[in-house]
Amino acid sequence: MLRNKGGKTIEGVKLGRKLFYDPRLSKNNTISCSSCHLSFNGFTHTDHALSHGINDSIGHRNSPVLINLAWGKSFMWDGGVNRLDVQALAPITHPAEMGSDLNEVIAKLSKTEEYPRLFKRTYGNTEITGEKLLKAIAQFQLTLVSADSKYDKMKAGDIEFTAQEQRGYRTFQTNCASCHAEPLFTNAGFANNGLAIDTTLNDFGRMGITGNSYDSLLFKVPTLRNIEFSKPYMHDGRFRKLSEVLNHYNHEIIQSATLDEKLKKNILMSSNEKVDFIAFLLTLSDKEFLFNPDFSFPQN
């Protein structure tokens, strides 16, 4: 058995995985972390634009993917959390998501037969605390590494892209690589990508965290890894197809004061270039990651 106070441990990952899939973390025992973060969708949801929570409540953003979080500098669409080991606190306490609080969760888990035993295996004693719980979930999240796509195999020299994939890759490098920087396919920054504001949600992104008007309509640049499986797209899930995303950048960008400089002009692509571009995006799919049994619902 591996155990330490700092980094990732075998028992800590097991505990975090069990917690991730446990609906008892929500107020009414119906919503778990996995309810919005499905392993085979790159750890996001796929059947609705906005996240759903307890009592049929609906959030105001699309659920972000949970991929390669070890290299993240901040979390959530607005960067409102800067440490992975406290990130889970946000959905646990959000009234439209899990609607609970740590004291309530700790009380429920302490009354179970299995959790005091699992916490003892992980931390050396049966005491369940908020810090231990959040760190265990973070340990599981740190294992969600996607790095075995066709793109990765190409970079390793094991295979070659088709001519179409290579053309799409060149288009990506020319137009998109500054924000979706390789190999993570995100620069971990924030940008206004020219979306028209949803007047129902009135979500101004990072400005809600910083209070700075220069951050109006800035949202986290998402990774493109496994994008084939992580629809719908954008912070509010407004696009269900990759072709709709490309059409946005091709001719639908809304000019505004905070629009990213690189998007002041539309990214013009022909129909053939769009098809090639999507062919490249499909090379970022990592099915070994998506269907890894170590990430799915724990059987024991």
Side-chain angles (χ1 to χ4, degrees):
M1 175 171 49
L2 299 176
R3 183 188 298 128
N4 59 43
K5 294 182 180 180
K8 183 158 56 71
T9 68
I10 292 173
E11 294 301 332
V13 171
K14 287 182 179 179
L15 173 59
R17 180 183 177 189
K18 184 173 181 62
L19 290 165
F20 186 86
Y21 283 92
D22 196 331
R24 285 175 290 190
L25 269 63
S26 67
K27 189 173 186 64
N28 63 359
N29 304 323
T30 61
I31 299 293
S32 69
C33 302
S34 66
S35 298
C36 286
H37 299 282
L38 306 171
S39 59
F40 46 85
N41 289 115
F43 286 91
T44 184
H45 56 62
T46 186
D47 57 343
H48 41 266
L50 304 175
S51 60
H52 289 193
I54 61 171
N55 303 320
D56 296 322
S57 57
I58 299 177
H60 69 288
R61 287 179 182 155
N62 181 32
S63 173
V65 298
L66 304 180
I67 298 174
N68 298 335
L69 299 177
W71 294 273
K73 299 177 182 178
S74 61
F75 308 95
M76 320 298 277
W77 279 106
D78 54 18
V81 178
N82 60 13
R83 285 173 44 191
L84 185 59
D85 60 357
V86 297
Q87 180 274 326
L89 183 62
I92 288 173
T93 59
H94 195 291
E97 295 186 44
M98 301 170 86
S100 190
D101 63 68
L102 280 181
N103 290 332
E104 184 177 9
V105 172
I106 291 167
K108 283 194 288 187
L109 300 186
S110 297
K111 294 177 182 178
T112 66
E113 180 180 344
E114 72 269 32
Y115 274 112
R117 183 178 71 250
L118 293 173
F119 273 79
K120 183 175 182 178
R121 286 181 182 177
T122 303
Y123 297 108
N125 59 68
T126 60
E127 181 187 21
I128 299 176
T129 68
E131 180 182 10
K132 291 177 181 178
L133 182 149
L134 294 172
K135 285 184 180 297
I137 295 174
Q139 286 191 56
F140 172 64
Q141 290 176 318
L142 287 171
T143 69
L144 305 180
V145 176
S146 179
D148 196 27
S149 64
K150 185 174 185 178
Y151 161 85
D152 296 300
K153 293 180 173 69
M154 182 276 292
K155 283 295 185 179
D158 297 331
I159 61 172
E160 294 183 357
F161 275 170
T162 66
Q164 183 182 47
E165 291 165 347
Q166 189 61 47
R167 290 194 301 270
Y169 185 29
R170 286 195 296 268
T171 299
F172 164 81
Q173 290 176 310
T174 300
N175 296 296
C176 311
S178 58
C179 287
H180 296 284
E182 301 174 64
L184 296 174
F185 288 89
T186 175
N187 61 8
F190 302 86
N192 174 352
N193 65 344
L195 291 172
I197 191 166
D198 185 317
T199 54
T200 301
L201 298 172
N202 287 313
D203 188 352
F204 289 89
R206 186 149 176 77
M207 187 176 74
I209 299 298
T210 66
N212 191 327
S213 61
Y214 291 107
D215 290 327
S216 177
L217 301 177
L218 270 62
F219 292 90
K220 187 77 168 286
V221 177
T223 181
L224 300 182
R225 284 185 174 271
N226 298 301
I227 195 168
E228 174 186 4
F229 294 90
S230 61
K231 64 181 181 182
Y233 308 113
M234 304 299 177
H235 67 275
D236 54 9
R238 68 178 65 190
F239 299 136
R240 295 199 61 83
K241 298 179 180 179
L242 288 172
S243 58
E244 294 176 301
V245 175
L246 296 187
N247 288 339
H248 164 72
Y249 289 113
N250 196 51
H251 59 263
E252 297 173 0
I253 291 175
I254 302 297
Q255 300 292 318
S256 66
T258 60
L259 179 66
D260 191 282
E261 285 294 326
K262 297 177 285 296
L263 297 175
K264 293 292 185 181
K265 294 182 179 179
N266 292 325
I267 300 174
L268 300 179
M269 291 187 222
S270 67
S271 296
N272 287 340
E273 286 174 326
K274 291 178 185 177
V275 173
D276 294 344
F277 191 93
I278 291 176
F280 163 68
L281 291 179
L282 300 187
T283 72
L284 303 180
S285 297
D286 179 359
K287 293 184 180 179
E288 292 297 321
F289 168 79
L290 295 169
F291 303 108
N292 187 333
D294 291 337
F295 302 152
S296 63
F297 184 88
Q299 299 301 314
N300 51 48

